[in-house]
Amino acid sequence: METISVFLPTRKGSERVLNKNTRKFSNVDNGLLEIKLDQLLKTELVHEIVLSSNDNASLEYGCKLALKESRLKIIERPDELALSSTNLIDLVKYVPSICSMSHILWTHVTSPFVLSEDYDNAIRTYFKSLNENYDSLMSVKTIQNFLWSKEKNDLINRLTDIKWPRTQDLMPLYEIDSAFFIASKNVYLENKDRIGIKPFLMEQSGYKSFDVDWEHDFELAELIYKNING
């Protein structure tokens, strides 16, 4: 049986959004972390959820929840792996040592609109894609608009000689929205990466791809959340 661990990292000292992990979000007292753990705990295909953090508020909330949720595992992360200057590759190398299952889904609290059914659908798609010669999966947002390079002084995604083609005739590009990355533990160990050499690009659209990265993102996400949830 193929098994899935979720790796959910948070850290203290967010520079762009103060206390973004657990500060009150809309009417949710423990904020984005509470929303994300609730979504993950409602999944059907996840076997283990690993909250990795050096943030005391995250650890405190996670430990309370773990008392009644057997799938939730709380791991205090070494400070050197939770700095704004930490090399992502060093964190990638650390992840397999704390995740017990054979495949790993990496996600973030900053994707508040990815629901339990979205994660389950991504996992199903991932295992299907393995049979189609892909070795991993990541979520993306399709961009098919006019994209200009200042250095080139021209469009970078034109496919013909037409100066202003129809947008549907432009080369589609893909923004990594960081909602989820899925790969086997072997990919982590062998490639030192959270995706393999041939990832399946799972397209998301609309607010599903929303990533809370700045203070204005936090405020806008609250408005969207209130509108969706009443």
Side-chain angles (χ1 to χ4, degrees), residues 156-215:
I156 62 171
N157 56 338
R158 185 192 295 111
L159 290 172
T160 68
D161 293 331
I162 299 172
K163 183 171 178 61
W164 297 106
R166 299 179 305 169
T167 54
Q168 59 264 42
D169 294 330
L170 291 167
M171 177 193 305
L173 297 173
Y174 302 94
E175 177 183 348
I176 300 170
D177 64 12
S178 297
F180 44 81
F181 304 84
I182 313 178
S184 70
K185 186 180 285 191
N186 286 338
V187 164
Y188 277 74
L189 295 171
E190 295 171 9
N191 294 27
K192 304 298 185 288
D193 203 348
R194 57 185 173 179
I195 58 168
I197 59 174
K198 189 181 178 183
F200 179 87
L201 304 184
M202 188 165 182
E203 297 178 51
Q204 296 199 106
S205 60
Y207 57 80
K208 292 289 182 183
S209 285
F210 199 99
D211 180 47
V212 179
D213 197 29
W214 298 89
E215 184 63 33

Side-chain angles (χ1 to χ4, degrees), residues 25-87:
F25 179 87
S26 186
N27 62 342
V28 182
D29 288 338
N30 294 286
L32 295 173
L33 178 61
E34 180 177 346
I35 290 170
K36 185 52 59 187
L37 286 176
D38 181 65
Q39 292 163 344
L40 292 170
L41 287 164
K42 288 178 179 175
T43 56
E44 297 177 354
L45 301 179
V46 167
H47 301 85
E48 173 186 70
I49 301 160
V50 178
L51 173 61
S52 168
S53 186
N54 71 332
D55 173 43
N56 288 335
S58 294
L59 293 169
E60 182 179 351
Y61 177 72
C63 285
K64 287 180 181 177
L65 195 57
L67 293 175
K68 54 184 178 180
E69 298 288 353
S70 60
R71 285 191 294 169
L72 182 57
K73 180 178 170 183
I74 313 301
I75 302 291
E76 186 168 357
R77 190 168 1 140
D79 281 334
E80 63 268 21
L81 292 177
L83 302 172
S84 59
S85 58
T86 297
N87 189 321

Side-chain angles (χ1 to χ4, degrees), residues 21 33 110 118 136 144 165 168 183 189 198 223 225:
N21 301 316
L33 178 61
T110 49
D118 299 316
S136 50
Q144 202 164 6
Q168 59 264 42
L189 295 171
K198 189 181 178 183
L223 293 175
Y225 186 85

